[in-house]
Amino acid sequence: MARFIFVTGGVVSSLGKGIASASLGALLQARGYKVLLRKLEPYINVDPGTMNPFQHGEVFVTEDGAETDLDLGHYERFTGVNTTCFDAISTGRIYSDVIANERRGDYLGATVQVIPHVTDAIKGAILKNTGEVDFAICEIGGTVGDIEGLPFLEAIRQLRNDLGYRNSLYVHLTLVPYIPTAGELKTKPTQHSVQELQSKGIQPDILLCRSDRPIGVEERRKLALFCNVKPECVIEALDVATIYQVPISYHEQGLDSEVCKHFGLEAKTAPDLAIWERIVETVTRPEGDVTIGVVGKYTGLLDAYKSLHQALIHGGIANKVNVNIEWIDADQLENGSKVALMERLSPLHGILVPGGFGERGSRGKIAAIQYAREHKIPYFGVCFGLQMAVLEALRNMGGFADANSSEFGSTSMPAIALMTEWIKGDIVQKYFPGEDLGGTMRLGTYECHLTPGSKAYEIYKSSVISERHRHRYEVNTTYLKELEKCGLYVVGTTADGLLPEIAERKDHPWFVAVQFHPEFKSRPFKPHPLFTSFIEAAINQNRLI
Ligand code: GLN
C-alpha cells in the first residue's frame, strides 16, 4: 500500500510548495521508490481551464487532457512521472461529484454535509489509484488558515487515523523571514502557522523552513520547541541558484532520511543524485549565452509561461548554454514604431510566439514573425504561434489582407477556423458553440504523423510522435495550396491526415511552428527535441551576429 505524505503551506503563498513536493518526489525516486504526486486545490473552479493566466499562471495539460494547475508541471519535470486527471482535485470538482451523488440519491436521503460527505469525497480522491506506488505526495494548495482549505485539512487529519501514523506524514512549508532592523531571523510567523494547523488537529512531523540565510542553532531549537517537532525535523530550505538544485539541497539538509525514518524505512545508502548534479553543473556553469525573445500577451506574469520557460532552459541544458529570455509584450510591438520594433527584435538570437487567446496583441506577434522570417532569425511558433505564422504568410506574402482567425470574429478568409468535429481514437469529439467554455477544447495527447525529409522529422528522428494539445481553432486545410505558395509547408498532421499539426519553411534556417504544446513534455533530464534544436539554431545565429 502507498504511504501518504501531505504537504501544507503557511505564513505566505508563493513559497514554492509545488517545487518542494516535486523535489521530495525526486529524492524518494533517487532512493529507488515509485512515487505519485497529487494537487488538492481549494478553489471552487472545477478546473483552471477558464481562469485568467494573469491571476493563476499557466494551465498545465496532462497526457489524458486534464487542464490543471501549473504545479503538476513541476511534478512531471522533477520526477518524469506523467500526471493524470486524478492528480488534480479542486473543491469545484469535489462538490460537483457530491452534488451529482446527492441528485442520484446515493446518500439515501441523508442531510449532505461537509463532514462526512465532502471530506469522504476528498479522501476517496486522495486514495484513488495509488495502489502501485510506494509514496503518494499530496500537496494542499493555498495557505493554512484559508477558509476554502478547511475541508481538505479535515480530510487529511482524518486520514492519519484511517491510515495510521506509520503510513502518513505531514510536511509543513513555512517562511522564516530576516528582519534587517532587528538583524534576526524570526520564528514567530512559523509558530503561528503551526498553531493554526494544530487547531485543525494536524501536528506537522517535518517543518521545511524557507529562508534567505542559514537558520542558526538557537532559531532551530526555538522552532522545534514551539512547533512540537524534533530538532532534526526542522529542515532549512534556503534560496538556491536554480530550482533543479532543490533536491540536492533538501537531501543535504536531511529531508529524505527524516522521511524514510518516519516510515520506518532503511535510509542507510545515499540516494543517487547524479542527474541533478549534472543539471546544476550545466545550468550554473554554461559555456555560452543566447537570447530568446518570447512575444506574448501575459508577459507581466511569468508564471503564465512556466513550462515554456523551463523547456527553453532545458534546451539550454542540452546545448550547455544559458538562455536569457526577453519577455516582449506583443501589445507594445503592435503599437510602437518600425524603428522601435527593430530595436527590440534585432538583438535576439531566436523568436518564439507562445500559446495565446484572443485578438489583442496578435498584430504585434505577426510583426515579430515577419521580422524573424525576413531576417532569417530562428522562429519557433507554439500553438497560437503557428496560427499567427499562417496569418503572417497569407497576409504579408500571399496578399490576402483578409486572412484571419475566426477566433477574432467573422471573416471572409478563415485561415484559422473552428473545427466542429474531429476524431480522437474511435470517438468522434464534438464541439457545440455556445456551450460552457470549460472543457470544449482539443485537449491532451494526439498522435502526429511527420513527413519524412522535413526538418521536424529530422529533429524528432521519428515519423510518428505524440504531443499534448489545448486549443479550439485549427489551420484550415482549404488554404494549404496558398500557404505553400508563401513557402509555409504542413509537414505534420493528425493520424487521420485531417488536421495540420506542424508547418515549417524551407527558405529559412529554422522556422518551425506547431499546433501542440511541446513544452509540457520537456524535462531537465530529457530536454524536448524541438527546444534543443531551436536553441542550437539560436547558438548558430549568435555566431552570425
Ligand atoms: N487561441 C487559439 C485556439 O484556441 C490558440 C490556443 C493556444 O495557443 N493554446 O486555438
Side-chain angles (χ1 to χ4, degrees), residues 33 77 183 280 295 384 469 481 522:
Y33 294 110
R77 284 189 286 276
V280 171
V295 184
F384 200 65
H469 291 249
K481 281 271 153 307
S522 188

Side-chain angles (χ1 to χ4, degrees), residues 380-451:
F380 191 3
V382 173
C383 202
F384 200 65
L386 162 70
Q387 301 177 355
M388 293 306 103
V390 165
L391 297 190
E392 192 282 320
L394 292 174
R395 286 185 195 175
N396 297 333
M397 300 177 81
F400 300 103
D402 292 338
N404 215 340
S405 166
S406 45
E407 182 178 1
F408 307 159
S410 66
T411 163
S412 57
M413 187 177 183
I416 307 297
L418 193 62
M419 305 304 291
T420 51
E421 207 177 68
W422 60 81
I423 314 283
K424 184 175 184 179
D426 296 334
I427 308 158
V428 176
Q429 304 228 331
K430 286 189 176 17
Y431 166 71
F432 302 104
E435 267 208 344
D436 292 350
L437 276 183
T440 54
M441 288 196 253
R442 183 146 82 99
L443 284 168
T445 293
Y446 284 78
E447 232 178 47
C448 166
H449 290 229
L450 305 180
T451 309

Side-chain angles (χ1 to χ4, degrees), residues 354-358 382-385 387 407 416 441 470-474 515 517:
F357 292 83
V382 173
C383 202
F384 200 65
Q387 301 177 355
E407 182 178 1
I416 307 297
M441 288 196 253
R470 180 174 184 256
H471 58 103
R472 287 194 182 86
Y473 298 87
E474 309 278 351
Q515 185 57 76
H517 288 275

